[in-house]
Amino acid sequence: MNKVSVFRKEHFNAAHRLHNESLSADENARLFGRCNYPNYHGHNYDLIVQVTGEIDPVTGYVMDLKVLSDLISEQVLERFDHKNLNLDTEEFRNLNPTAENIAVVIYNRLRPFIDHTKELKIRLYETERNFVEYPG
Amino acid sequence: MNKVSVFRKEHFNAAHRLHNESLSADENARLFGRCNYPNYHGHNYDLIVQVTGEIDPVTGYVMDLKVLSDLISEQVLERFDHKNLNLDTEEFRNLNPTAENIAVVIYNRLRPFIDHTKELKIRLYETERNFVEYPG
Amino acid sequence: MNKVSVFRKEHFNAAHRLHNESLSADENARLFGRCNYPNYHGHNYDLIVQVTGEIDPVTGYVMDLKVLSDLISEQVLERFDHKNLNLDTEEFRNLNPTAENIAVVIYNRLRPFIDHTKELKIRLYETERNFVEYPG
Amino acid sequence: MNKVSVFRKEHFNAAHRLHNESLSADENARLFGRCNYPNYHGHNYDLIVQVTGEIDPVTGYVMDLKVLSDLISEQVLERFDHKNLNLDTEEFRNLNPTAENIAVVIYNRLRPFIDHTKELKIRLYETERNFVEYPG
Amino acid sequence: MNKVSVFRKEHFNAAHRLHNESLSADENARLFGRCNYPNYHGHNYDLIVQVTGEIDPVTGYVMDLKVLSDLISEQVLERFDHKNLNLDTEEFRNLNPTAENIAVVIYNRLRPFIDHTKELKIRLYETERNFVEYPG
Amino acid sequence: MNKVSVFRKEHFNAAHRLHNESLSADENARLFGRCNYPNYHGHNYDLIVQVTGEIDPVTGYVMDLKVLSDLISEQVLERFDHKNLNLDTEEFRNLNPTAENIAVVIYNRLRPFIDHTKELKIRLYETERNFVEYPG
């Protein structure tokens, strides 16, 4: 049978700063511009989690979106919402919190909890005009 | 020549209830929660139909979106708009009207009317935060 | 001091049918068209609650939007979400559940819980293209 | 002649933390919850500036929205975009940066530059679901 | 009884150019910038028509939004949709088609057809970021 | 390493008319309907440019979205914004400016400036309900 994707949209608000500690202050300013300002800025991150698989004939679901929503809350929102990504999280202590890296981190946090027969893809909006997608 | 996708967005409003008649009332309540309430609830369904193929050099179109819009009206909106999916439609008399199943049914209703050289994909938003995609 | 408005957006999904029992079936069909279909249809209702008053100098808030969100959940969402407005609610047993009437009902449910020095206004979207506003 | 309103939408990204220094840590935590976390979080602020007045018969404009956009950039975005409102701005050194207070501050920064025959109103979205409006 | 507003959103696509024939070419270029380019540009105009009045106790409507939608189609969309406002319409032959002026023209076209006991207000989006409102 | 996509959304406003000069007036009217009106109409085009590749471990970027935004401004917006596509551009002098063809033209203009190890995809919204995608 053909596969169907289901999507759940969530959001979280966080502060961050783009900075690579192995580079000079000048180089950081050149690479990251306003995003390198020392005291952090922040975003309303919109997160869309896509799970792809076959429809379960009993439920008519690929995956219960309530279950997916709870999983995202536990694994992502509890960890990142209203946090400073650089200061408050282990994941970004030594990893620059670009949208690309945040999407990969979210993928890796969710992947163990999604049935291995199903595919997972992450889309993350940093703003309405800047966003990323990671298919694993 | 490379292929281009064209998309047309339409919407319809319908009532439904998630329920599997072969399961007990308790099991239905456990699986579907509020979506199993007996007297139905409803949604503004946003439907995006994607058709992929080569551009016709005479028109510059992959497919005239006015023609696609009319086709969606005839095959989908006339049938489902302002209806109770469980009670008023043949398709969901014995099929649980989850977003996944509705997307598959819409795909199957449209596929015979789309040129066989073209691909068809369905995206259906049950809410802004819960949606599905079916590529056939 | 000048007043500030704060707004909280929530949503609920419900089934309804427009129908006036004191009119004939023909008259109902003429007045309400597809919205009068007997087995109900439904909507994703987007609700925006506006509270206007002075800023509390201690908190910097007109009203804590978390408190407002909880109040809307208790008084509106718990009552109407995933319900059939005509069948499952006292409010619309004898009142046609048009967007106008739903907005007035929501206003009247919330008004006693909002500080009487503050103004309350309700905006309700039945669809993205049809919506209403009630300032009390 | 009757008056017309013109609106210009802009946005900025900033970090902030809700905190009242004259209250205890416990009281701050109780009042502001997750918004009081010590290391800041952030938002994509959407700002809508409304100017109301008569149409100039020569231009057909109430106010040139390019001029208004440039004014917002100079007076608001240059000052707040990619900044930490608590640490990097004079305005919020001793004023809690709630959406209400930010809207009032923006109003006061723009008011001197808008023709005094015209009315000014500020709408500020902290998130899609939490927003405020200040009419001066 | 208190009044309720109902809103209907429609859209049309049109070309236009901002130009005042009584001014020099240089003055037009200075005033209107890119909007003065000689061969026209265009917009997807989003139009929101607001009608305010008392709820009819028989229907539960302030005004049937299907009737309002049909009226907008006849009086506005048929006239302006897919047209060049400067060349194809009487209204803007000698009136600069700024958003402000278009809103006033739409108001004046609709006003005779709306019950005189009801208020009418027009909101017109030229783009998502530039819009106007005319309350008559 | 797995690849990540980054997306940048921009927009431009343009006039156009669908017309194939090698066909008769009647045939053009039949094929393109209102879009063939002689004096042009217009749109707010929303453009989403997607670039796919590996994350640079130094920056955490697939591609700096500021650089991509500047590139889109130079290659697309400067050329098409506030222009009449049929009259003011070389690209559409002999090519019907359908959304499909505009997307292909934009792809071809951007492709030489995107690192050849990265994939490029174009999504173009002519309206909220009609849009196209070209993956090259």
Side-chain angles (χ1 to χ4, degrees):
Chain A
M1 196 203 167
N2 290 321
K3 293 186 172 179
V4 175
S5 294
V6 297
F7 303 76
R8 175 68 189 173
K9 183 181 175 186
E10 301 283 352
H11 70 275
F12 59 96
N13 308 312
H16 80 154
R17 174 202 187 196
L18 300 189
H19 189 72
N20 181 335
E21 294 202 358
S22 64
L23 301 175
S24 69
D26 280 0
E27 189 66 0
N28 271 297
R30 193 185 63 77
L31 280 175
F32 301 118
R34 303 172 76 83
C35 298
N36 183 242
Y37 283 1
N39 288 326
Y40 313 99
H41 60 283
H43 296 290
N44 302 332
Y45 289 96
D46 270 325
L47 169 65
I48 297 177
V49 177
Q50 175 181 358
V51 175
T52 303
E54 293 186 9
I55 298 177
D56 177 332
V58 175
T59 59
Y61 284 158
V62 169
M63 180 178 180
D64 184 340
L65 288 177
K66 178 72 172 62
V67 171
L68 181 57
S69 174
D70 290 345
L71 177 64
I72 300 169
S73 289
E74 288 166 24
Q75 295 298 322
V76 182
L77 306 193
E78 280 306 310
R79 202 164 185 91
F80 298 147
D81 187 37
H82 283 73
K83 298 289 177 60
N84 182 309
L85 298 180
N86 305 67
L87 297 181
D88 296 333
T89 74
E90 287 177 30
E91 288 88 347
F92 300 106
R93 203 146 295 174
N94 299 302
L95 180 68
N96 202 5
T98 59
E100 290 92 324
N101 281 334
I102 301 173
V104 172
V105 162
I106 290 173
Y107 180 94
N108 289 336
R109 287 193 62 79
L110 292 175
R111 183 65 269 189
F113 301 94
I114 305 289
D115 186 301
H116 74 282
T117 66
K118 295 187 169 61
E119 299 158 44
L120 174 66
K121 191 187 286 189
I122 302 298
R123 180 176 279 214
L124 183 74
Y125 288 79
E126 193 173 87
T127 70
E128 192 193 3
R129 303 177 76 177
N130 289 350
F131 50 104
V132 303
E133 195 170 72
Y134 181 60
Chain B
M1 195 207 168
N2 290 322
K3 292 186 173 180
V4 176
S5 293
V6 297
F7 303 76
R8 175 70 188 171
K9 183 180 175 187
E10 302 282 352
H11 70 275
F12 59 95
N13 309 311
H16 80 155
R17 173 201 188 196
L18 300 189
H19 189 73
N20 181 334
E21 294 202 357
S22 65
L23 302 175
S24 68
D26 280 0
E27 188 65 1
N28 271 296
R30 192 184 64 79
L31 281 174
F32 301 119
R34 301 173 76 84
C35 297
N36 183 243
Y37 284 0
N39 288 327
Y40 313 98
H41 60 282
H43 297 290
N44 303 332
Y45 289 97
D46 270 326
L47 169 65
I48 297 177
V49 176
Q50 175 181 359
V51 175
T52 302
E54 294 185 7
I55 297 177
D56 178 331
V58 175
T59 58
Y61 284 157
V62 168
M63 179 177 181
D64 184 341
L65 287 177
K66 177 71 171 62
V67 171
L68 181 57
S69 174
D70 290 346
L71 177 65
I72 300 168
S73 289
E74 289 166 24
Q75 294 299 322
V76 181
L77 307 193
E78 280 306 311
R79 203 165 185 93
F80 297 146
D81 186 37
H82 282 75
K83 298 289 177 59
N84 182 310
L85 297 179
N86 305 67
L87 297 180
D88 295 333
T89 75
E90 288 178 27
E91 287 87 347
F92 300 104
R93 203 144 297 172
N94 300 301
L95 181 68
N96 202 5
T98 58
E100 291 92 324
N101 281 335
I102 301 172
V104 172
V105 162
I106 289 173
Y107 180 95
N108 290 335
R109 287 194 62 78
L110 292 175
R111 182 66 268 190
F113 300 95
I114 305 289
D115 187 301
H116 73 281
T117 66
K118 295 186 169 62
E119 299 157 44
L120 174 65
K121 191 187 285 188
I122 302 298
R123 181 177 278 213
L124 184 73
Y125 288 79
E126 194 173 86
T127 70
E128 193 194 0
R129 302 178 75 177
N130 290 349
F131 50 103
V132 304
E133 194 170 71
Y134 181 59
Chain C
M1 194 205 169
N2 290 320
K3 292 187 174 180
V4 176
S5 293
V6 297
F7 302 76
R8 175 69 190 172
K9 183 179 175 188
E10 300 282 352
H11 70 275
F12 58 96
N13 309 311
H16 79 155
R17 174 201 187 195
L18 300 188
H19 189 73
N20 181 334
E21 293 203 357
S22 65
L23 302 175
S24 70
D26 280 1
E27 189 65 0
N28 270 297
R30 192 185 64 77
L31 279 175
F32 300 118
R34 303 173 75 83
C35 298
N36 183 242
Y37 284 0
N39 288 326
Y40 313 98
H41 60 283
H43 296 290
N44 303 332
Y45 289 96
D46 270 326
L47 168 65
I48 296 178
V49 176
Q50 176 181 359
V51 175
T52 302
E54 294 185 8
I55 297 177
D56 178 332
V58 175
T59 58
Y61 284 157
V62 169
M63 179 178 182
D64 184 341
L65 288 177
K66 177 70 171 62
V67 171
L68 182 57
S69 174
D70 290 346
L71 177 65
I72 300 168
S73 289
E74 287 165 25
Q75 294 299 321
V76 182
L77 306 194
E78 280 306 311
R79 203 164 184 92
F80 297 148
D81 186 37
H82 283 73
K83 299 288 177 61
N84 182 309
L85 297 179
N86 305 67
L87 298 180
D88 295 333
T89 75
E90 288 177 28
E91 287 87 346
F92 300 105
R93 202 146 296 172
N94 299 303
L95 181 68
N96 203 3
T98 59
E100 290 92 325
N101 281 334
I102 301 172
V104 172
V105 163
I106 289 172
Y107 179 95
N108 290 335
R109 288 194 61 78
L110 292 175
R111 183 66 269 188
F113 300 95
I114 305 288
D115 186 301
H116 74 280
T117 66
K118 296 186 168 63
E119 299 157 46
L120 174 65
K121 191 187 286 188
I122 302 299
R123 181 175 279 213
L124 183 73
Y125 289 79
E126 193 173 87
T127 70
E128 192 194 3
R129 303 177 75 177
N130 290 350
F131 50 105
V132 305
E133 195 170 71
Y134 181 61
Chain D
M1 194 205 170
N2 290 322
K3 293 187 173 179
V4 176
S5 293
V6 296
F7 303 75
R8 175 69 189 172
K9 183 180 175 187
E10 301 282 352
H11 70 275
F12 59 96
N13 308 311
H16 80 154
R17 174 201 187 195
L18 299 188
H19 189 73
N20 182 334
E21 293 203 358
S22 64
L23 302 175
S24 69
D26 280 0
E27 189 66 1
N28 270 296
R30 193 185 63 77
L31 280 175
F32 302 118
R34 303 174 75 83
C35 298
N36 183 242
Y37 284 0
N39 289 325
Y40 312 99
H41 61 282
H43 296 291
N44 303 332
Y45 289 96
D46 270 325
L47 168 65
I48 297 177
V49 176
Q50 175 182 358
V51 175
T52 302
E54 293 186 8
I55 297 177
D56 177 332
V58 175
T59 58
Y61 284 158
V62 168
M63 178 179 182
D64 184 340
L65 288 178
K66 177 70 171 61
V67 171
L68 182 56
S69 174
D70 290 345
L71 178 64
I72 300 168
S73 289
E74 287 166 25
Q75 295 298 321
V76 182
L77 307 194
E78 280 306 312
R79 203 164 184 92
F80 297 147
D81 187 37
H82 282 74
K83 298 288 177 60
N84 182 309
L85 297 179
N86 305 66
L87 297 181
D88 296 333
T89 75
E90 288 177 28
E91 287 87 347
F92 299 105
R93 204 146 294 173
N94 300 302
L95 182 67
N96 201 5
T98 59
E100 290 91 325
N101 281 335
I102 301 173
V104 172
V105 163
I106 289 173
Y107 179 95
N108 289 336
R109 288 193 63 78
L110 293 175
R111 182 66 268 188
F113 300 94
I114 305 287
D115 187 300
H116 74 281
T117 66
K118 295 186 169 63
E119 299 157 44
L120 174 66
K121 191 186 286 188
I122 302 298
R123 181 176 279 213
L124 183 73
Y125 289 78
E126 193 172 86
T127 69
E128 192 194 3
R129 304 178 74 176
N130 289 351
F131 50 105
V132 304
E133 195 170 71
Y134 180 60
Chain E
M1 195 206 169
N2 290 321
K3 292 186 174 181
V4 176
S5 293
V6 297
F7 303 75
R8 175 68 189 173
K9 183 180 175 188
E10 300 281 353
H11 69 275
F12 59 96
N13 309 311
H16 81 152
R17 174 202 187 195
L18 300 189
H19 189 73
N20 181 334
E21 293 203 357
S22 65
L23 302 175
S24 69
D26 280 0
E27 189 65 0
N28 271 296
R30 192 184 65 77
L31 280 175
F32 301 118
R34 302 172 76 83
C35 298
N36 184 242
Y37 283 0
N39 288 326
Y40 313 98
H41 60 282
H43 296 291
N44 303 332
Y45 289 96
D46 270 326
L47 169 65
I48 297 178
V49 177
Q50 175 181 358
V51 175
T52 303
E54 292 184 9
I55 297 177
D56 178 332
V58 176
T59 59
Y61 284 157
V62 169
M63 179 178 181
D64 184 341
L65 288 177
K66 178 71 172 60
V67 171
L68 181 57
S69 174
D70 290 347
L71 177 65
I72 300 169
S73 289
E74 289 166 25
Q75 294 299 322
V76 181
L77 307 193
E78 281 306 311
R79 203 165 185 92
F80 298 147
D81 186 37
H82 282 75
K83 298 290 177 59
N84 182 310
L85 297 179
N86 305 67
L87 297 180
D88 295 334
T89 75
E90 287 178 28
E91 288 87 347
F92 300 104
R93 204 146 296 172
N94 300 301
L95 181 67
N96 202 6
T98 59
E100 290 92 324
N101 281 334
I102 301 172
V104 172
V105 163
I106 289 173
Y107 179 94
N108 290 336
R109 288 194 62 79
L110 292 175
R111 182 66 269 190
F113 300 95
I114 304 289
D115 187 300
H116 74 282
T117 66
K118 295 186 169 63
E119 300 157 44
L120 174 65
K121 191 187 286 189
I122 302 297
R123 181 176 278 213
L124 184 72
Y125 289 78
E126 194 172 85
T127 69
E128 193 194 0
R129 303 178 74 178
N130 291 349
F131 50 104
V132 305
E133 194 169 71
Y134 181 60
Chain F
M1 194 205 168
N2 291 321
K3 291 186 173 179
V4 175
S5 294
V6 296
F7 303 75
R8 175 69 190 172
K9 182 180 176 187
E10 301 282 352
H11 70 275
F12 59 96
N13 308 310
H16 80 154
R17 174 202 187 196
L18 300 188
H19 189 73
N20 180 335
E21 294 202 357
S22 66
L23 301 175
S24 69
D26 279 2
E27 189 65 1
N28 271 295
R30 192 185 64 76
L31 279 175
F32 302 117
R34 301 171 77 84
C35 298
N36 184 242
Y37 283 1
N39 289 326
Y40 312 98
H41 60 283
H43 295 290
N44 302 333
Y45 288 96
D46 270 326
L47 169 64
I48 297 177
V49 177
Q50 176 182 358
V51 175
T52 303
E54 293 185 8
I55 297 177
D56 178 332
V58 175
T59 58
Y61 283 158
V62 169
M63 179 178 180
D64 183 341
L65 287 178
K66 178 71 171 61
V67 171
L68 182 58
S69 175
D70 290 345
L71 177 66
I72 299 169
S73 289
E74 288 166 25
Q75 294 299 321
V76 182
L77 306 193
E78 280 306 310
R79 203 165 184 93
F80 297 147
D81 185 39
H82 282 75
K83 298 290 176 61
N84 182 309
L85 298 179
N86 304 68
L87 297 180
D88 296 333
T89 74
E90 287 177 29
E91 286 87 347
F92 300 105
R93 204 146 295 172
N94 299 302
L95 181 67
N96 202 5
T98 58
E100 290 92 324
N101 281 334
I102 300 173
V104 172
V105 162
I106 290 173
Y107 179 95
N108 290 336
R109 287 194 62 78
L110 292 175
R111 183 65 270 190
F113 301 95
I114 305 288
D115 187 300
H116 74 281
T117 65
K118 296 186 168 63
E119 299 158 45
L120 174 66
K121 192 187 284 189
I122 302 299
R123 181 176 278 214
L124 184 73
Y125 288 80
E126 193 172 87
T127 70
E128 193 194 1
R129 303 177 75 177
N130 290 349
F131 50 105
V132 304
E133 194 170 71
Y134 181 59

